[in-house]
């Protein structure tokens, strides 16, 4: 597809989803739109991989889902961050920071 | 982790709703995406197409999402189960036969395991029972008496108790029995007289009241603790039993506590036969209450000792400490009472040691039955798999992975195994009932065998392991569908399967032969034991009686004996009655030293020495072969006499005629006794050992005390019930405080002596019969299948001129070939393993020719029977239609 866009490294999709739903409950399509927007279209989120990831997060208890009416009066499945999801988000964010800092540091020193 | 599991379970239970939800969610996504494109000016259908493309295939996404739910394997299992059930339902005959085969194996195994569980595995109700030991004081100079027959003298016991460091507590007790006479009935109760540490050593608490403590253990304290059983039978299980009393040997004892059902120490099975004397089970515990003289007695080695090891002390350390202490105490002993050592025996070994071998034998042989059942199930599954070549071929062609096919087949065999397991548990329940009816009575805690949680787990595990073991080969074989071959239409992997199947049958037949051989040898031994001539009359009725404390002198006791005998002899219809201190086969005997005039006497030669009244031999119908029997003249203050049995005469008098010669019993300082007669040797000690030398002294002339406990034997033309009623009336007339115990015919004693052998032989024979049945079904199944599979080939042969006889012969030869191969292996194993059974055999060698010829004959006959139907079917093949069918 678009060569300019970055492929997401393995495992980061979960982190991005958690971050996206941290503000407010969202449905799947909105999550994919939000990811596109806030990354300024820099990363490519495969829409197809979004749903397996959401269900995986739900299974782990980090997000919970419920059906609700959306703005245009249509039923949609909203995902919401749980308390343990919030902790997971904090932990994964910290890990990510440490990792990127370290890699950054190495790249600059070497 | 928990939420993960809950989610998966939720997902599994609400699978359908989650599917529609996902469908709706994805639909919603696509519509919103399309709407976005539409808003940007794209045509509606183009927008929709684009939206779907971006998502990347709804079905793939659904599949991936399902997998993310972690449910794929569960759904596969459910699908396998559903499919398996359908397949089995389509073939009910196959399913039922296989499940029943497994049920038979699992059921028999479970029943035996429940017994092993009760006898060997379940913990004993005495605190940490592993730390309990008995302390015996064997003396190597005292002949072939079991080590457990000796306990320390009380003086030694108290010295040991004071000096030892190995034990936390150490307690002494003595078996006893008491007559309890109420208006309703007179019974004798097994009891134990125990010291103040007995219950604390066993760490047992009463279910009601309290136990005997150190303060109770003093002369004159007439208190008792009773068993749960006695509480129920004598006090109606009433809660206000404490403080009630019971007259024992004419003295009133107050109940201070009731022990729970499980507490039964000492039980006769806790010791080698005879060590506990004539009590079977203990119903009463009474303070030992030794007198100062008894406490100072160093000569009577009669105490029974149970002790609990101090934490951290090993049995070996306790043993060496006890040996050292006994060695130092030996210096305080004099004369023949020297040389006693110490033997510290783990209580569990005493309590279950003797039956461990029997338990392993039963478990081992029932496992062989299970193995045969497993082989049969494997064979049936192999046949099924071969018949399903087409179906499996189709599935493989359509892309089913090999692992998936194996899993499917294993699921089916698991279904069969679990079904069989459930039937097996029901079967085990029934078998256990039957097994308890066969109980020989000397296997500790056998009556407590139940199907408890552990047994259920065992049954479940057995069912699973068996069905996987039976299913794995067929599954692997079936999954190895060669697509090319299958598609070419040949589809026959029969050759490999058939080799495997007949190999299995050969193995099974070998196992059947091993079981048949074992059962055959035991049966032959049993018949021989049953055929042993005991030498006494089985119809003679015997009963034990013991005088109580009001008989203080020997004269009083003798007067009681005389009066009792006189009354009993008046029984109508003519009878003989006698008394003895030790009945044959009752595991009781009195061992004494002896000295024969004119014989090269050894130091420390011992003989079993029995005390009898004049008409004892007549009452027992033991013939006098030379000289005369005792008569009323052989009484106190008359010339001392003695009788011997033939074995004694032969061994110690050689060629001389013993009648009129002299010998001494007990020590060489005792007076001479004249031998007046020789009786026929009887099986005094056991049915299975040759009669040993025996000496009989007149009861009224013995120098030793008999504790006033004797057995009355009566032979009469009347029925045993009438004899017993008459004897009871006689005893009541002589002394209303006393009661008979162990009332039974001598025949019943003989039956008891063979009970364990009967138990073992019956079970092994049943196992062998089950094995034979399974083996025959296996051979039949394989032949029937092979005839059906080869219908075309048989047809072709017949078309080419083979006669029906040829076809029948071919089937017979196939069956017999497997049988003979299995037979050879089985017989070889039997010969090699003869030693395993040797200890259980009587009168036959482990290579008994009768058994070694009967087993093959039986097996071949049954094999021919198994061949009949398949051979008949083969002979009825119509060449024309068989070839057309192909």
């Amino acid at each position: 597809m678009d060569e300019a866009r970055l492929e997401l490294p393995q495992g980061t999709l979960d982190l991005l989803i958690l971050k996206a739903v941290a503000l407010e409950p969202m449905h799947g399509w909105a999550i994919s739109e939000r990811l596109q927007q806030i990354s300024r279209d820099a990363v490519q989120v495969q829409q197809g991989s979004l749903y397996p990831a959401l269900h995986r997060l739900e299974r782990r208890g980090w997000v919970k889902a419920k059906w609700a009416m959306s703005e245009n009066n249509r039923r949609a499945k909203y995902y919401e961050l749980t308390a343990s999801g919030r902790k997971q988000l904090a932990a994964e964010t910290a890990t990510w920071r440490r990792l990127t800092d370290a890699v950054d540091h190495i790249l600059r020193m070497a | 982790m928990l939420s993960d599991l809950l989610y998966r379970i939720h997902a599994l239970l609400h699978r359908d709703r989650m599917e529609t939800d996902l469908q709706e969610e994805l639909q919603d996504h696509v519509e919103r995406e399309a709407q976005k494109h539409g808003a940007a000016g794209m045509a509606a259908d183009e927008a929709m197409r684009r939206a779907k493309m971006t998502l990347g295939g709804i079905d793939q996404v659904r599949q991936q999402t399902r997998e993310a739910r972690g449910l794929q394997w569960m759904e596969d299992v459910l699908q396998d189960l559903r499919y398996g059930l359908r397949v089995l339902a389509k073939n009910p005959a196959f399913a039922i036969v296989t499940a029943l085969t497994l049920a038979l194996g699992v059921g028999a195994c479970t029943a035996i395991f429940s017994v092993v569980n009760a006898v060997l595995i379940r913990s004993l109700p005495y605190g940490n029972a592993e730390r309990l030991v008995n302390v015996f004081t064997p003396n190597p100079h005292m002949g072939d008496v079991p080590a457990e027959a000796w306990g320390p003298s009380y003086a030694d016991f108290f010295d040991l108790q004071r000096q030892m460091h190995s034990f936390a507590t150490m307690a002494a007790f003595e078996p006893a029995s008491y007559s309890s006479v109420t208006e309703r009935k007179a019974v004798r109760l097994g009891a134990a007289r125990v010291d103040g540490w007995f219950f604390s050593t066993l760490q047992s608490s009463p279910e009601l009241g309290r136990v005997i403590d150190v303060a109770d253990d003093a002369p004159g304290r007439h208190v008792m603790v009773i068993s749960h059983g006695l509480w129920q039978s004598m006090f109606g299980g009433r809660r206000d039993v404490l403080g009630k009393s019971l007259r024992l040997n004419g003295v009133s004892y107050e109940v201070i506590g009731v022990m729970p059902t499980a507490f039964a120490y000492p039980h006769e099975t806790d010791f080698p036969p005879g060590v506990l004397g004539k009590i079977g089970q203990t119903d009463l515990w009474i303070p030992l209450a030794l007198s100062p003289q008894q406490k100072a007695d160093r000569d009577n080695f009669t105490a029974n000792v149970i002790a609990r090891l101090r934490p951290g002390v090993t049995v070996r350390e306790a043993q060496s400490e006890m040996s050292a202490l006994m060695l130092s105490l030996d210096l305080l002993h004099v004369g023949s009472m020297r040389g006693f050592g110490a033997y510290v025996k783990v209580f569990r070994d005493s309590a279950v040691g003797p039956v461990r071998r029997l338990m392993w034998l039963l478990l081992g042989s029932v496992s062989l039955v299970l193995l045969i059942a497993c082989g049969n199930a494997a064979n049936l599954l192999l046949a099924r798999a071969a018949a399903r070549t087409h179906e499996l071929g189709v599935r493989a062609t359509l892309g089913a992975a090999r692992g998936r096919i194996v899993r499917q087949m294993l699921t089916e065999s698991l279904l069969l195994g679990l079904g069989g397991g459930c039937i097996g548990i029901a079967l085990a329940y029934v078998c256990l009932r039957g097994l308890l009816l066969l109980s020989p009575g000397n296997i500790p805690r056998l009556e407590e065998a139940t199907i408890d949680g552990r047994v259920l787990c065992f049954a479940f595990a057995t069912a699973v392991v068996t069905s996987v073991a039976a299913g794995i080969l067929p599954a692997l074989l079936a999954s190895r569908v060669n697509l090319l071959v299958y598609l070419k239409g040949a589809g026959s992997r029969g050759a490999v399967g058939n080799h495997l199947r007949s190999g299995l049958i050969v193995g099974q037949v070998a196992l059947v032969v091993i079981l048949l051989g074992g059962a055959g040898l035991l049966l032959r031994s049993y018949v021989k034991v049953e055929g042993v001539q005991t030498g006494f009359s089985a119809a003679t009725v015997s009963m034990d009686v013991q005088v109580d404390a009001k008989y203080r002198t020997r004269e009083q006791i003798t007067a009681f004996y005389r009066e009792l005998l006189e009354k009993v002899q008046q029984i109508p219809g003519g009878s003989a009655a006698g008394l003895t201190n030790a009945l044959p086969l009752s595991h009781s005997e009195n061992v004494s030293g002896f000295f024969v005039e004119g014989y090269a006497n050894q130091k420390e030669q011992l003989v079993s020495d029995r005390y009898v009244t004049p008409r004892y031999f007549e009452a027992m119908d033991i013939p006098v072969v030379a000289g005369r029997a005792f008569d009323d003249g052989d009484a106190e203050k008359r010339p001392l006499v003695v009788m011997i049995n033939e074995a004694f005469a032969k061994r110690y008098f050689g060629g001389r005629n013993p009648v009129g010669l002299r010998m001494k019993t007990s020590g060489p300082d005792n007076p001479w006794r004249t031998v007046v007669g020789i009786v026929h040797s009887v099986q005094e000690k056991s049915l299975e050992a040759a009669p040993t030398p025996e000496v009989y002294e007149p009861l009224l002339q013995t120098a030793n005390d008999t504790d006033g406990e004797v057995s009355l034997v009566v032979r009469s033309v009347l029925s045993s019930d009438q004899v017993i009623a008459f004897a009871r009336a006689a005893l009541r007339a002589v002394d209303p405080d006393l009661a008979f115990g162990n009332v039974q015919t001598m025949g019943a004693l003989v039956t008891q002596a063979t009970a364990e052998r009967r138990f073992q032989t019956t079970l092994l024979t049943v196992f062998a019969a089950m094995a034979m049945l399974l083996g025959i079904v296996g051979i039949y199944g394989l032949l029937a299948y092979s005839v059906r599979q080869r219908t075309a080939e048989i047809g072709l042969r017949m078309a080419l001129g083979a006669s029906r006889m040829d076809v029948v012969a071919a089937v017979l030869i196939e069956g017999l070939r497997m049988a003979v191969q299995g037979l050879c292996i089985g017989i070889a194993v039997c010969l090699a393993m003869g030693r395993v059974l040797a200890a259980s055999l009587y009168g036959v060698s482990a290579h008994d020719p009768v058994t070694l010829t009967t087993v093959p004959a039986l097996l071949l006959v049954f094999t021919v029977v198994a061949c009949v139907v398949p051979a008949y079917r083969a002979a009825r093949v119509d060449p024309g239609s068989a070839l057309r069918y192909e």
Side-chain angles (χ1 to χ4, degrees), chain B residues 225-455:
Chain B
V225 172
I226 60 175
S227 71
H228 182 89
L230 193 70
W231 179 39
Q232 297 297 323
S233 65
M234 281 234 176
F235 295 95
R238 290 162 53 109
R239 307 292 298 181
D240 60 355
V241 61
L242 299 178
K244 290 256 158 52
S245 56
L246 196 63
R247 281 182 76 77
L248 301 174
N249 286 1
V251 178
S252 187
Y253 284 79
E254 183 192 327
V255 178
I256 57 167
V258 178
M259 294 309 287
T261 331
F263 187 87
Y265 192 80
H267 191 269
E268 66 176 337
T269 54
D270 291 329
F271 292 89
V275 168
L276 271 200
K278 291 173 182 170
I279 69 158
Q281 63 181 50
T282 303
D283 276 320
L284 299 169
W285 292 268
I286 286 173
L288 186 56
L290 297 174
S291 65
Q293 297 95 298
Q294 286 173 310
K295 286 186 181 175
D297 182 349
R298 216 170 271 285
D299 289 340
N300 283 305
F301 284 76
T302 53
N304 292 280
V305 179
I306 183 136
R308 184 174 291 275
L309 292 169
R310 208 183 275 282
V313 175
T314 65
V315 177
R316 188 180 293 213
E317 286 161 359
Q319 170 70 62
S320 60
E321 188 193 17
M322 286 297 119
S323 297
L325 288 177
M326 282 305 288
L327 203 62
S328 68
L329 290 175
D330 197 44
L331 302 174
L332 303 175
H333 289 270
V334 288
S336 64
M337 286 297 127
R338 302 199 56 167
F340 286 85
Y343 172 33
V344 177
K345 187 175 185 187
V346 176
F347 169 69
R348 182 178 274 281
D349 290 346
S350 305
V352 301
V355 293
R356 199 171 277 156
R357 224 185 64 83
L358 173 65
M359 290 295 123
W360 287 121
L361 181 69
L362 294 183
L363 206 55
S365 42
V366 84
S367 309
L368 293 189
V369 175
L370 181 68
L371 217 57
I372 295 169
C374 183
N376 257 9
N379 243 329
L380 286 161
L381 287 166
L382 273 174
R384 275 293 300 153
R388 280 165 70 182
T389 312
H390 179 72
E391 172 210 329
L392 297 173
V394 169
R395 291 189 64 181
T397 315
L398 293 180
R402 184 167 177 211
R404 198 60 217 286
I405 292 184
V406 170
R407 202 163 67 181
Q408 171 64 44
M409 304 278 293
L410 275 185
T411 306
E412 283 174 38
S413 57
L414 266 176
L415 275 174
L416 288 170
L418 291 181
C422 289
I423 307 172
I425 288 169
L427 208 63
Y429 201 78
V430 178
C431 290
L432 188 57
R433 280 287 119 85
L435 229 137
L436 292 182
L437 290 180
L438 287 173
S439 165
N442 65 348
I443 299 179
R445 292 170 299 283
L446 176 65
E447 292 72 21
E448 292 163 29
T450 47
I451 311 273
D452 63 5
R454 188 186 289 132
V455 175

